Amino acid sequence: MSPLLISLAAFIGVTALVAGVAFMLRGNKDSEVEDRLAMLTGGAQSKQAKAAMKQSVLTRPLESTQNVLMEFLARMGNVQLLLEQADSALSSTNFVLVCGGMALVGAFIPAAAGYHPGLWPAISVCFGLMPFVWVVFKRKRRFKRFAKQLPDALELISRALRAGHSLASGFHLVSNEMQDPIGKEFNRVFEEQNLGVPLEDALDTMTDRIPNLDLRFFATAVILQRQTGGDLAEILDKIGYLVRERFKIWGQVQALTGEGRLSGIVLLALPPALFAAVYRLNPDYVMPLFTDPMGRQMLVGGLVMQLLGALVIRKIVNIKV
């Protein structure tokens, strides 16, 4: 079979798989409409409402974390939430279309450049994953900014409470005085409360959009204070102090593990960089890795060893604070 036909078949298969996942993520719109009508008419409690009650902030343990595989499956299972966490204006359907378009571009660029047909599917997959990698990177950067802004936001709310303002006014003050992403998230909670959503539900939704442990401490403290009473300003001061101390310890850990992280980056980047250099100088020297059966086995073995090495290095330098 022609290498071009093989590449086109691989691209069509990947596109069909991505499109199938996108259609599965759309969900059942009719059931959502029925649930909303039941809630508005005061009928039976919807399935989504029951599930939200079961997964409330107070019912989830504070130290519950997901491993890498579960986190990856959770992200793949809700692309719209991933885009929302990354503050992207794309919808899940448009995002899938962008991934398919990038994969199509990656399939024809190596063909037009005259590269070996064995490289076409790999380059197509790499191009197709670029939008996903970009969204994950943007999401991670946004979470880091939110974590750094959270102590100042807690201190601002605490001072507003001591000055006689309500908790809702404190949220509104944070949304006006602080930059994104924390200003946007607190403004969303404030607007949801103004539209009639209970504060507990608005905070629960925010903890789903921003899976931050310190934010969950804050949401739990607010909900418990509204149910049992207490000095919320003092609680927020203590949470802010703990967050700042954790950042100090985390900075020390980053300084001590900097050498290991840099070594891991160099060791992981060296094989593909060396392959690119050798392929540029002498393409026939590295082509047996794709044409010879033993070469393909060695290539797969090298990729597996690279992944295992990356996981081991990540386990060593990733110290949770």
Side-chain angles (χ1 to χ4, degrees):
M1 185 179 292
S2 174
L4 180 59
L5 294 178
I6 296 176
S7 301
L8 291 176
F11 168 74
I12 293 173
V14 173
T15 305
L17 179 61
V18 173
V21 173
F23 282 114
M24 290 175 61
L25 294 176
R26 292 180 62 184
N28 192 349
K29 298 298 182 182
D30 296 336
S31 62
E32 294 180 4
V33 173
E34 292 176 359
D35 290 339
R36 292 182 181 179
L37 289 175
M39 293 177 62
L40 292 175
T41 57
Q45 194 175 20
S46 64
K47 295 180 181 179
Q48 293 181 355
K50 293 179 180 180
M53 290 182 62
K54 292 181 180 179
Q55 298 179 356
S56 178
V57 176
L58 296 177
T59 59
R60 294 197 305 262
L62 289 173
E63 295 297 334
S64 62
T65 56
Q66 294 179 336
N67 55 34
V68 178
L69 179 60
M70 293 178 63
E71 185 178 0
F72 178 78
L73 291 177
R75 293 177 183 174
M76 292 301 295
N78 196 340
V79 178
Q80 188 60 42
L81 179 60
L82 177 65
L83 295 173
E84 189 175 358
Q85 291 174 343
D87 196 19
S88 175
L90 291 174
S91 63
S92 57
T93 305
N94 293 335
F95 177 72
V96 172
L97 292 177
V98 170
C99 292
M102 290 295 294
L104 182 62
V105 172
F108 285 100
I109 285 181
Y115 289 104
H116 192 274
L119 296 175
W120 297 356
I123 296 176
S124 176
V125 172
C126 292
F127 270 74
L129 291 177
M130 281 183 180
F132 180 77
V133 174
W134 174 76
V135 170
V136 172
F137 172 76
K138 188 177 179 182
R139 172 182 181 268
K140 186 176 181 180
R141 184 178 59 181
R142 187 167 183 262
F143 285 172
K144 286 184 177 180
R145 290 190 60 189
F146 186 94
K148 292 180 179 179
Q149 292 176 318
L150 185 58
D152 296 332
L154 296 181
E155 184 178 355
L156 187 59
I157 295 176
S158 175
R159 292 181 177 180
L161 292 176
R162 287 193 171 93
H165 294 278
S166 64
L167 182 61
S169 299
F171 277 78
H172 186 57
L173 185 62
V174 171
S175 64
N176 290 334
E177 297 296 333
M178 300 193 68
Q179 299 179 354
D180 292 339
I182 199 167
K184 183 176 181 179
E185 292 295 334
F186 274 73
N187 182 66
R188 182 168 177 176
V189 174
F190 176 74
E191 294 295 340
E192 288 178 353
Q193 186 186 17
N194 288 339
L195 293 174
V197 178
L199 181 61
E200 291 81 0
D201 296 341
L203 289 174
D204 192 13
T205 306
M206 183 171 65
T207 56
D208 290 335
R209 294 194 304 269
I210 308 292
N212 184 282
L213 181 61
D214 300 319
L215 181 63
R216 292 181 59 187
F217 276 120
F218 165 70
T220 304
V222 171
I223 295 175
L224 289 177
Q225 190 272 339
R226 290 174 65 87
Q227 295 177 357
T228 61
D231 190 357
L232 182 59
E234 183 179 358
I235 297 175
L236 296 183
D237 287 338
K238 291 181 179 180
I239 295 177
Y241 173 76
L242 290 176
V243 174
R244 294 181 189 278
E245 291 298 319
R246 183 184 297 140
F247 271 112
K248 291 181 181 179
I249 299 175
W250 182 78
Q252 296 176 359
V253 171
Q254 290 294 104
L256 295 175
T257 59
E259 181 180 357
R261 288 185 284 108
L262 183 60
S263 300
I265 293 174
V266 172
L267 292 176
L268 293 176
L270 185 60
L274 183 61
F275 172 82
V278 175
Y279 180 81
R280 180 65 178 176
L281 297 175
N282 189 3
D284 296 333
Y285 185 78
V286 295
M287 278 302 105
L289 290 175
F290 301 94
T291 58
D292 188 82
M294 180 63 70
R296 288 193 289 267
Q297 295 177 5
M298 294 175 61
L299 183 61
V300 173
L303 293 176
V304 172
M305 294 299 290
Q306 281 281 97
L307 293 176
L308 291 177
L311 292 176
V312 171
I313 294 175
R314 183 178 183 274
K315 187 68 175 179
I316 293 175
V317 301
N318 187 20
I319 301 176
K320 294 186 179 298
V321 179

